[in-house]
């Protein structure tokens, strides 16, 4: 259980760092880039998508957009 939490934290840190390097765009485009990046690093899709949703929802650059991430 502890290893799972550590892995989730590592993924979030990695995606937040990657997000800072992505130029502003629509939340969907940013999310797609982050999802591809997370999957390419070997993380499972469910975990990547949940983490990206969390990042996008708290991202100041994308907070003006209305986008429904629950469809993913």
């Amino acid at each position: 259980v502890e290893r799972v939490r550590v892995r989730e934290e590592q993924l979030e840190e990695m995606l937040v760092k990657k997000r800072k390097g992505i130029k502003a765009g629509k939340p969907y485009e940013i999310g797609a880039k982050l999802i591809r990046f997370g999957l390419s690093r070997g993380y499972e899709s469910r975990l990547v998508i949940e983490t990206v949703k969390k990042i996008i929802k708290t991202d100041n650059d994308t907070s003006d957009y209305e986008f429904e991430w629950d469809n993913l």
Side-chain angles (χ1 to χ4, degrees):
V1 175
E2 181 63 29
R3 281 190 281 165
V4 172
R5 252 185 262 132
V6 169
R7 188 152 166 83
E8 290 172 357
E9 289 173 5
Q10 289 173 337
L11 173 63
E12 186 170 359
E13 288 175 16
M14 183 177 58
L15 291 176
V16 166
K17 184 176 179 180
K18 177 69 174 175
R19 169 59 188 109
K20 291 177 182 178
I22 298 174
K23 294 184 181 179
K26 294 181 181 178
Y28 181 81
E29 295 166 349
I30 294 167
K33 288 180 181 184
L34 291 175
I35 289 170
R36 283 193 302 269
F37 181 75
L39 293 175
S40 75
R41 295 299 188 261
Y43 289 90
E44 64 182 68
S45 58
R46 177 199 55 80
L47 180 59
V48 172
I49 291 170
E50 287 177 6
T51 306
V52 168
K53 284 180 185 181
K54 187 167 121 179
I55 291 169
I56 293 294
K57 286 180 181 179
T58 60
D59 188 352
N60 291 333
D61 291 339
T62 58
S63 61
D64 293 338
Y65 291 95
E66 297 272 336
F67 186 79
E68 189 60 48
W69 279 94
D70 294 330
N71 294 332
L72 287 178

